[in-house]
């Protein structure tokens, strides 16, 4: 069988219009713009209005990616949608999106890998294209984290936001595209970043609704340390595997969780910050959506040119982490 390459031929992103600034948060919890900006780099985030859900933003982002790739919904043969904030527990958000798009020829699946979800999705898409099983795959990262944030907890509510990013991954004969990926997990550290209730272990009851267990709980400093270590490892592994070092990486697009984590990752692979894409100030941490939103903004702003090597690197709840190296 002829070897196929997995190329990203279209990107798209979408976010709610509604902006929540640090000044707004100062009125909600005991915090300051100065604390949030200096500790995280975040200035504002987008919040989905009532009635809007993940599939709505996934739909908007997907249409833009399809338009750029020049393909119709009927040509998509697989949808991989990464989220921890689905429209509903059942069915998958990918099923709801398939119907909205009219992607009637696509197999569809949701994956849960938190902030690493888009990297996991790209990794699976690349493998399925290289084995010849699929040709045109829509990979999406989307979140409405505002729905699982405790707006009374200043340790977490200042960090997160809503949005969606999408990419069309297409089978190609021409070498290049997603050169390699690296994905990892360590479930023994799950308790450091979790939503304890809402599943089979702690179903939603009136008591649960009152005690906050249905919201994100995070041990921030422990997560911070693990994120710095794991993102550095993920970037380094792909540099070792591909032989493409920081001198030859045109742009790194890291998960946008904290500017200090991003800077530490760049230092680890000796990449100057002028080759690191940062938009955390506008969106906060949008988990699975953060990398595809950033990828789309970098792409549409002309920061990525054909032949450029682009490194994506992520870390999230689970813990999960990973990276992807793309020759554009
Ligand atoms: N405003 C003001 N003060 C605050 C706030 C706030 N919003 N939040 C916490 N503080 C206080 C704390 O109470 C603490 O006060 P104390 O010293 O009196 O106890 C002090 O600030 C320092 O708190 P730390 O948690 O030690 O602050 P730190 O410098 O570690 O920053 C942060 C906290 C921003 C959460 C950081 O730890 C972080 O970014 N962690 C990683 C988050 C992350 O990467 N998540 C990625 C995955 S997310 C996902 O998968 C969905």
């Amino acid at each position: 069988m002829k070897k196929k390459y997995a190329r990203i031929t279209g990107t798209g992103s979408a976010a709610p219009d509604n902006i929540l600034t640090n000044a707004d948060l100062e009125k909600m919890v005991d915090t300051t713009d100065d604390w949030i900006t200096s500790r995280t780099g975040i200035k504002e985030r987008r919040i989905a209005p009532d009635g809007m859900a993940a599939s709505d933003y996934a739909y908007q982002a997907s249409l833009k990616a399809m338009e750029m790739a020049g393909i119709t919904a009927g040509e998509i043969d697989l949808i991989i949608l990464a989220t921890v904030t689905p429209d509903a527990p059942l069915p998958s958000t990918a099923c709801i999106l398939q119907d909205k798009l009219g992607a009637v020829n696509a197999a569809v699946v949701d994956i849960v890998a938190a902030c690493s979800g888009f990297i996991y999705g790209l990794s699976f898409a690349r493998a399925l294209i290289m084995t010849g099983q699929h040709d045109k795959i829509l990979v999406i990262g989307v979140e409405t984290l505002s729905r699982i944030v405790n707006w009374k907890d200043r340790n977490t509510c200042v960090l997160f936001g809503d949005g969606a990013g999408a990419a069309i991954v297409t089978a190609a004969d021409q070498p290049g595209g997603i050169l390699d990926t690296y994905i990892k997990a360590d479930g023994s550290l799950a308790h450091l970043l979790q939503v304890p209730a809402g599943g089979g272990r702690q179903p939603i009851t009136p008591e649960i609704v009152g005690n906050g267990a249905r919201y994100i709980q995070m041990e921030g400093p422990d997560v911070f340390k693990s994120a710095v270590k794991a993102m550095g490892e993920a970037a380094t592994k792909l540099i070792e595997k591909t032989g493409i070092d920081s001198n030859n990486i045109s742009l790194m697009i890291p998960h946008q969780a904290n500017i200090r984590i991003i800077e530490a990752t760049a230092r680890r692979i000796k990449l100057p910050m002028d080759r690191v894409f940062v938009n955390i100030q506008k969106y906060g941490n949008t988990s699975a959506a953060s990398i595809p939103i950033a990828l789309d903004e970098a792409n549409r702003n002309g920061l990525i040119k054909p032949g450029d090597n682009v490194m994506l690197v992520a870390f999230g709840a689970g813990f999960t982490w990973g990276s992807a190296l793309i020759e554009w």
Side-chain angles (χ1 to χ4, degrees):
M1 190 174 59
K2 194 173 171 194
K3 183 170 176 166
K4 290 193 174 182
Y5 299 91
R7 287 191 163 268
I8 294 179
T9 51
T11 60
S13 59
D17 295 330
N18 181 28
I19 294 173
L20 185 73
T21 65
N22 291 350
D24 296 328
L25 280 162
E26 285 177 352
K27 296 179 202 126
M28 296 162 62
V29 288
D30 180 14
T31 192
T32 60
D33 171 44
D34 185 52
W35 192 96
I36 301 170
T37 306
S38 61
R39 297 294 179 113
T40 71
I42 302 166
K43 298 297 282 183
E44 58 188 44
R45 65 290 289 145
R46 304 298 183 93
I47 304 295
D50 288 351
M52 290 292 279
S55 70
D56 299 313
Y57 298 105
Y59 175 69
Q60 294 171 15
S62 300
L63 288 183
K64 291 178 191 166
M66 286 159 51
E67 187 187 9
M68 188 186 287
I71 65 164
T72 61
E75 292 175 69
I76 297 168
D77 57 18
L78 178 63
I79 297 174
I80 301 173
L81 185 146
T83 191
V84 297
T85 47
D87 284 26
L90 195 72
S92 71
T93 302
C95 276
I96 298 166
L97 176 66
Q98 180 208 26
D99 183 48
K100 285 190 168 139
L101 290 172
V104 291
N105 297 311
V108 307
V109 67
D110 278 12
I111 58 172
V112 178
C115 306
S116 313
F118 184 75
I119 298 288
Y120 268 67
L122 278 189
S123 185
F124 300 158
R126 171 178 178 267
L128 290 166
I129 282 176
M130 290 179 78
T131 56
Q133 200 169 330
H134 290 275
D135 273 338
K136 287 190 174 57
I137 305 179
L138 170 60
V139 183
I140 299 147
V142 56
E143 302 292 359
T144 49
L145 292 172
S146 59
R147 306 297 193 251
I148 57 166
V149 160
N150 183 348
W151 291 103
K152 294 188 174 134
D153 176 12
R154 71 173 182 173
N155 291 296
T156 53
C157 76
V158 302
L159 303 174
F160 299 106
D162 302 338
I168 302 289
V169 186
T170 309
D173 296 325
Q174 181 198 357
I178 306 170
L179 299 176
D180 213 339
T181 62
Y182 172 80
I183 51 175
K184 287 277 285 183
D186 181 356
S188 72
L189 298 173
H191 57 284
L192 296 174
L193 178 49
Q194 61 176 341
V195 178
R201 182 80 54 203
Q202 290 189 57
I204 298 294
T205 60
E207 292 72 38
I208 291 285
V209 169
N211 73 12
R214 67 195 161 114
Y215 297 125
I216 294 176
Q217 297 178 357
M218 181 173 78
E219 300 296 333
D222 289 333
V223 176
F224 187 96
K225 279 182 232 146
S226 295
V228 168
K229 191 162 162 260
M231 285 175 67
E233 175 204 305
T236 306
K237 285 279 179 196
L238 271 194
I239 288 172
E240 288 168 3
K241 268 176 95 182
T242 61
I244 295 171
D245 65 13
S246 53
N247 292 322
N248 298 306
I249 293 173
S250 307
L251 192 66
M252 178 168 81
I253 302 182
H255 171 48
Q256 310 282 314
N258 186 313
I259 188 66
R260 293 181 291 143
I261 296 174
I262 292 172
E263 288 167 350
T265 306
R267 272 198 302 277
R268 173 81 185 272
I269 61 164
K270 299 188 174 58
L271 195 69
M273 281 302 287
D274 63 3
R275 279 191 271 145
V276 179
F277 189 84
V278 176
N279 65 0
I280 191 172
Q281 68 282 1
K282 290 196 292 182
Y283 299 108
N285 180 348
T286 57
S287 192
S290 109
I291 287 180
I293 291 174
L295 178 66
D296 182 51
E297 289 197 347
N299 191 20
R300 283 176 194 269
N301 290 331
L303 300 178
I304 312 175
K305 301 196 175 44
D308 279 358
N309 291 317
V310 181
M311 169 80 81
L312 313 181
V313 56
F315 174 85
F319 289 149
T320 57
W321 61 100
S323 51
L325 190 58
I326 304 164
E327 184 189 309
W328 204 255

